[in-house]
Amino acid sequence: MDQKVKQDYCIGANLRQLRKQAGLTQEQVAAKLQVAGIDMSRDFYAHIESGDYNVRVSELSALRKIYQCSYDDIFRGF
């Protein structure tokens, strides 16, 4: 039986674009995530944007609120 491997989507570039459109630095986003109850450093957030870390649903939900965007905006192109 053939198994197909599911490919993970890298949304880091979309998150970087949304962050820049919002006029925020990675440090500011990390601070806003911490206020929202998500333990996040600037370095760790940088790993999300570079695709080295798969973002958790709770983080994704908080980022959507910070960037005031839809999930469609985050997953655009996939």
Side-chain angles (χ1 to χ4, degrees), residues 7 9 17 21 24 29-30 38 41 55 63 66 71-72 77-78:
Q7 195 69 15
Y9 298 114
Q17 181 180 359
Q21 286 175 353
L24 298 169
V29 172
I38 305 224
S41 68
V55 64
L63 287 168
I66 290 168
Y71 289 113
D72 287 341
F78 296 109

Side-chain angles (χ1 to χ4, degrees), residues 11 14-15 18 60-61 63-64 67 69-76 78:
I11 59 171
N14 290 355
L15 292 174
L18 289 166
L60 191 64
S61 177
L63 287 168
R64 185 189 63 77
Y67 296 142
C69 67
S70 69
Y71 289 113
D72 287 341
D73 294 327
I74 292 172
F75 289 101
R76 191 165 313 285
F78 296 109

Side-chain angles (χ1 to χ4, degrees), residues 28-41 56-63 65-66:
Q28 290 169 320
V29 172
K32 287 179 179 285
L33 286 168
Q34 290 174 5
V35 168
I38 305 224
D39 188 24
M40 179 76 61
S41 68
R56 296 180 308 189
V57 171
S58 58
E59 296 163 346
L60 191 64
S61 177
L63 287 168
K65 291 175 186 173
I66 290 168

